[in-house]
Amino acid sequence: MSVEEDFIILANEWKATRSPSSRTDELIDHPAYQKIIQMGKQGQDVVRCIMQEFESGRIDHWFPALRDITGAQPIQEKNRGNLTKMAEDWLNWYTDNAI
């Protein structure tokens, strides 16, 4: 299976089985979310997969995963709490850094 296919399976599992809670710690502690982070830390291109999610308008709480994988924190203070703006900050960072 490709990285994209693995990512889609895990992302769909995360979205389908997580609680509707908005607590970030509950969202990121999910086993599928943690597997995605591990894939990224092992050099698999999940950051690109997440950026594709953002570009397609499927914005979700990927920000802790991105921070864990890349070590970057490009979200501007004024954009915190606005998922669309936060995703735009990450998309800009991704374009500038072309990882």
Side-chain angles (χ1 to χ4, degrees), residues 5-92:
E5 291 169 326
D6 287 341
F7 173 81
I8 290 168
I9 289 168
L10 290 168
N12 287 339
E13 178 184 333
W14 174 60
K15 292 174 184 182
T17 61
R18 69 185 189 199
S19 70
S21 169
S22 61
R23 287 186 43 200
T24 303
D25 59 333
E26 289 179 10
L27 294 172
I28 65 175
D29 285 342
H30 191 285
Y33 193 93
Q34 289 299 311
K35 286 179 188 174
I36 289 169
I37 291 172
Q38 288 309 310
M39 287 170 57
K41 287 183 174 184
Q42 292 170 357
Q44 297 181 38
D45 198 4
V46 297
V47 173
R48 182 177 44 79
C49 295
I50 295 171
M51 294 301 118
Q52 289 172 338
E53 290 275 300
F54 289 169
E55 289 171 340
S56 299
R58 294 184 304 269
I59 299 168
D60 210 328
H61 292 278
W62 292 114
F63 310 109
L66 289 167
R67 190 174 51 245
D68 266 3
I69 294 166
T70 67
Q73 296 185 28
I75 297 171
Q76 298 177 55
E77 187 63 37
K78 66 181 181 180
N79 293 338
R80 294 194 186 281
N82 181 326
L83 296 183
T84 302
K85 293 289 187 184
M86 292 166 63
E88 287 174 9
D89 287 342
W90 271 103
L91 285 165
N92 291 334

